[in-house]
Amino acid sequence: MNIVRETGCEKLNIIAHSKGGLDSRYAVSCLGMDQYIASLTTINTPHLGCNYVRKLLEKIPQKAVASIGNKYESIYTRLGDDDPDFFNGLKDLTDKECDRLNGIMKDAPGVLYQSVGSRICSYSGVMFPLNVGYGIIKFFGGGENDGLVSAKSMEWGDFLGVVTPKSRQGISHGDMIDLTRKNIEGFDVCEFYVDLVNKLKVKGL
């Protein structure tokens, strides 16, 4: 691994958000990366998948899915992706597909797995499309969620809990990586990650 080779460090600590957590688990479990990894901390990752994604794909006409996919793929192409595949990327997030992957991506011995999530508190707490996602997940019985992933699906390994600030709006999927660039009462996104790293240091990782 380039970072290990260039820095001379023995192992790395990965902190991965959303689908990046699934990608990282696959790399550690299936691609031989476990020898380079001390810990993997996932942030709002859909480890158990999103059952509403499967249900929506079953209900929405394929032409509509294709049309939406084409729009997103054109955006991805402009951003530099030479071969975007919106539909299969979405399919990877269904509960059934994640269940299949979880059977393959066994936790690697010697690697610390931990996870953390967040939730929003109401439709008014976030902007489109996460406010719609919040309602859809609630409708399908997903309970607390960040507008994209249910809190239950975020749990993997040592679960550090659901971050809930004093603010009535809560913390959305995007807020956890400061995507929306807004101030949230009781939550400092930079300090959140500083604290995560410090706790790994205290553990000797």
Side-chain angles (χ1 to χ4, degrees), residues 3-44:
I3 296 176
V4 173
R5 184 167 53 250
E6 292 174 4
T7 64
C9 67
E10 294 182 3
K11 291 190 175 183
L12 304 174
N13 294 292
I14 298 177
I15 298 177
H17 174 257
S18 193
K19 191 173 182 290
L22 297 177
D23 294 337
S24 297
R25 280 182 53 210
Y26 185 84
V28 173
S29 300
C30 304
L31 301 181
M33 298 301 294
D34 56 305
Q35 59 184 311
Y36 302 112
I37 306 303
S39 71
L40 170 58
T41 303
T42 57
I43 313 292
N44 295 51

Side-chain angles (χ1 to χ4, degrees), residues 118-120 146 163-165 169-173 175-176 184 187:
S118 71
R119 68 182 178 90
I120 53 180
D146 65 358
V163 180
T164 306
Q169 66 189 39
I171 306 173
S172 75
H173 193 81
D175 293 331
M176 287 297 280
I184 300 175
F187 178 67

